[in-house]
Amino acid sequence: SAEQKFEVLFILGGPGAGKGTLCRYITEKYGYVHLSAGDLLREERMKPNSKYGELIEKFIKNGKIVPVAITCSLLDNNMQASDSPHKRFLIDGFPRNQDNVDGWNETMSEKCIVKGVLFCECSKEMCTQRCLKRGAAGSGRSDDNEEVLVKRHETYITNTLPLIEYFEKQGLIYKVNSMQSPEKVFEDTKEILSKIGW
Ligand code: UP5
Ligand code: MG
């Protein structure tokens, strides 16, 4: 029998929009696998023998987007290693620019089908507040400070927002208002998941 393709939902939205939080709610209820590209990059950076550790840190501290070959191989490895019976993945915070999309299409589109793109809409002000609060509470993230947040936002506006239009043309965009309580964001998301057949 033909091998089952992995099913993917991309979760996009500004820095601090609530992508990770929402994915945790979805995973808890549905059991789908949550892969945060940012978390995977931070984890790779911490490995003592990583070839890419320094490079990753440099990009993250500048709010810049890591070359797609690195990010995609982390995603790929983690998808292959997953023993999830669903083969359904929440890919959080990726793709972030056209280079990411091109790299994904070249290396992953054979194995994966993108079911949709969940777009967490949140104002820049609220995104920033959330990240600063998290930083003050001791997140330990080297990018949860005002200086790097300005850069993260610039990168988001210039590189990631245009992708929303790109995916919109393919009929893949599902918008969710993430300026509500986490519970309400999740409630709204459940309807979207049912629309895509999840
Ligand atoms: N919070 C969440 N939801 C809330 C709600 N509804 N109401 C009130 N508070 C809410 O949430 C952020 C904070 O807000 C938390 O304290 C949370 O409790 C609260 P979170 O769920 O973490 O939001 P998220 O959107 O995941 O924020 P995050 O900071 O993770 O987003 P970024 O997109 O900035 O970070 P990411 O980890 O994806 O990327 C970091 C960096 O890695 C990038 O800048 C880039 O340099 C690099 N990167 C790449 O180069 N390539 C990639 O593909 C991915 C990352
Ligand atoms: Mg996150």
Side-chain angles (χ1 to χ4, degrees):
S1 70
E3 198 157 310
Q4 195 194 346
K5 277 198 181 187
F6 294 149
E7 292 187 356
V8 164
L9 186 64
F10 290 138
I11 323 290
L12 298 182
K19 303 180 290 297
T21 302
L22 175 58
C23 286
R24 282 187 283 279
Y25 274 80
I26 299 174
T27 294
E28 193 184 338
K29 164 112 178 152
Y30 295 81
Y32 305 150
V33 183
H34 175 204
L35 296 178
S36 157
D39 286 349
L40 295 177
L41 288 165
R42 284 184 288 274
E43 195 183 292
E44 176 66 24
R45 183 192 59 186
M46 298 310 291
K47 288 186 189 153
N49 297 318
S50 171
K51 278 189 279 186
Y52 304 118
E54 275 178 44
L55 182 148
I56 292 171
E57 180 56 12
K58 208 174 88 189
F59 276 81
I60 288 181
K61 276 210 95 168
N62 286 300
K64 289 241 160 36
I65 300 159
V66 172
V68 65
I70 297 173
T71 315
C72 252
S73 80
L74 293 173
L75 290 170
D76 196 7
N77 292 343
N78 278 273
M79 290 173 83
Q80 303 298 339
S82 157
D83 53 9
S84 149
H86 301 288
K87 300 216 186 296
R88 288 178 175 169
F89 295 86
L90 307 165
I91 299 197
D92 159 6
F94 176 95
R96 297 175 103 90
N97 61 9
Q98 191 59 47
D99 179 55
N100 281 183
V101 170
D102 295 342
W104 171 275
N105 287 339
E106 276 164 34
T107 60
M108 304 295 283
S109 57
E110 294 260 289
K111 317 173 218 187
C112 302
I113 170 159
V114 178
K115 299 286 286 181
V117 180
L118 191 59
F119 177 34
C120 298
E121 289 190 291
C122 188
S123 70
K124 177 179 170 178
E125 290 68 32
M126 187 163 287
C127 281
T128 303
Q129 262 178 31
R130 287 179 179 175
C131 290
L132 289 176
K133 190 175 161 199
R134 181 177 60 188
S139 69
R141 274 181 56 164
S142 58
D143 59 351
D144 275 344
N145 57 71
E146 234 151 329
E147 197 193 334
V148 184
L149 272 164
V150 171
K151 297 178 181 172
R152 287 162 72 187
H153 266 289
E154 280 172 6
T155 301
Y156 173 67
I157 303 286
T158 317
N159 296 280
T160 313
L161 269 185
L163 296 186
I164 302 302
E165 214 171 309
Y166 166 88
F167 286 122
E168 186 102 66
K169 285 188 186 129
Q170 303 178 27
L172 288 172
I173 290 287
Y174 298 90
K175 293 182 180 166
V176 65
N177 173 8
S178 66
M179 299 182 57
Q180 316 176 87
S181 71
E183 292 76 19
K184 185 67 173 63
V185 179
F186 179 52
E187 283 307 312
D188 293 356
T189 302
K190 282 184 195 164
E191 286 177 32
I192 296 169
L193 294 177
S194 115
K195 273 187 201 151
I196 68 168
W198 277 21

